Amino acid sequence: QLSDQQKMSESPLSQFRGVYLPPALHPLNKTLVKGGKWKDVDSAQEKRRSFLHDFCKKYNSRKKLRTHLVHLVSRIYVEDRHKVLYCEVPKAGCSNWKRVLMVLNGLAASAHNISHDDVHYGKHLRKLDSYDLKGIYTRLNTYTKIIFVRDPMERLVSAFRDKFEHPNNYYHPVFGKAIIKKYRRNANEEALKTGSGVKFKEFIQYLLDSHRPVGMDIHWEQVSKLCYPCLINYDFIGKFETLEEDANYFLQLVGAPAKLRFPKFKDRHSSDERTSAGVVRQYLKELSKEERQLTYDFYYLDYLMFNYTSP
């Protein structure tokens, strides 16, 4: 407990340095939810919330996390009208979530006519780190904070398929070239020049390499490092596996317009088979037993935090 004088002299930022968390688990405000059909979704939600809270209590009792507030919130999108903070986890429904936030914010009439480029490059939504410290602090304490997660291996394979199995003028020259150069023996000139055709095994070698030739990327970064679920007390934990019902229940919670529903469409490569457990198994076959174990270890915290069973 800080004295009043200490509180006055400390900025919100310094209070976030090295604190032991998680903070208290606040009850969800369910006053806007209509009808009894959400009972199962709500019960699953409460289980996830208390599971994560208990995990963080146990985990953080051993580990003091030191990080800056501004860095903590750099992946969080703000929707001021309905007081929502959404932490973006790529490959877990984030494109459609950003569409929904744009509709909630009054920037679009419907989620269905917002293009992929508009969602990702349009700069229509503000991130929490663009506010001053008071603005960040107030929103963290008063808005409904939401995160959507996905089985780590499915998310990883989905990211690989999206970025390396389709033409891409960023991931191939930036990541592909570096990966092929370091991990492919006798790579031909064409592959070295374009960076196209990275194999899943090569991608995993890059992921597990402590001396990666090129840095990490948000599409395969651990959720524990994107959204800091043990430092930021998320009010709502959605899962990609139950995306629609979780999302539509959440929209009820925050009083979204009655006609707004979470969009069902696949954002890109819509003809591809969705990345399912069966698809993941095919990719994991390309790895050695040791590589599979190390990949699981890499996402170990994500598996634990969100109660996913190991593959």
Side-chain angles (χ1 to χ4, degrees), residues 15-187:
Q15 289 178 33
F16 258 83
R17 282 194 207 124
V19 285
Y20 285 106
L21 288 145
L25 192 60
H26 299 298
L28 266 176
N29 178 0
K30 298 168 192 174
T31 51
L32 297 171
V33 177
K34 294 174 180 67
K37 71 169 187 173
W38 302 108
K39 219 169 82 174
D40 292 348
V41 187
D42 178 63
S43 148
Q45 189 52 230
E46 290 303 342
K47 281 181 188 141
R48 286 174 200 164
R49 279 159 45 87
S50 58
F51 185 90
L52 178 63
H53 187 261
D54 292 347
F55 166 78
C56 291
K57 216 154 63 177
K58 211 158 64 181
Y59 175 70
N60 279 347
S61 63
R62 297 191 306 273
K63 184 173 177 185
K64 200 172 191 184
L65 287 160
R66 293 180 175 276
T67 190
H68 286 281
L69 177 60
V70 175
H71 178 67
L72 277 184
V73 301
S74 63
R75 307 258 26 113
I76 295 180
Y77 285 88
V78 179
E79 198 284 284
D80 281 317
R81 279 187 177 186
H82 298 79
K83 300 192 169 177
V84 172
L85 296 180
Y86 163 69
C87 187
E88 177 188 26
V89 175
K91 312 313 297 174
C94 72
S95 301
N96 280 339
W97 261 116
K98 287 196 263 188
R99 287 184 173 95
V100 166
L101 293 180
M102 285 169 70
V103 174
L104 286 174
N105 221 352
L107 298 166
S110 157
H112 290 273
N113 47 20
I114 307 170
S115 73
H116 176 87
D117 285 359
D118 233 13
V119 165
H120 291 284
Y121 312 113
K123 304 269 186 280
H124 299 292
L125 297 165
R126 276 187 81 171
K127 283 188 178 167
L128 193 50
D129 62 357
S130 70
Y131 293 82
D132 62 15
L133 284 176
K134 186 171 183 276
I136 294 174
Y137 214 52
T138 306
R139 284 170 179 80
L140 274 178
N141 285 323
T142 57
Y143 283 22
T144 307
K145 297 175 288 299
I146 172 180
I147 182 174
F148 263 74
V149 297
R150 183 177 187 176
D151 174 274
M153 288 294 184
E154 273 189 32
R155 190 177 151 242
L156 176 69
V157 171
S158 175
F160 172 77
R161 292 174 77 199
D162 181 25
K163 303 305 176 197
F164 295 102
E165 291 185 353
H166 294 275
N168 190 298
N169 58 14
Y170 171 71
Y171 284 90
H172 293 198
V174 174
F175 287 88
K177 276 160 96 166
I179 289 171
I180 288 168
K181 187 177 174 189
K182 183 159 186 185
Y183 308 107
R184 187 178 296 178
R185 281 189 191 161
N186 310 321

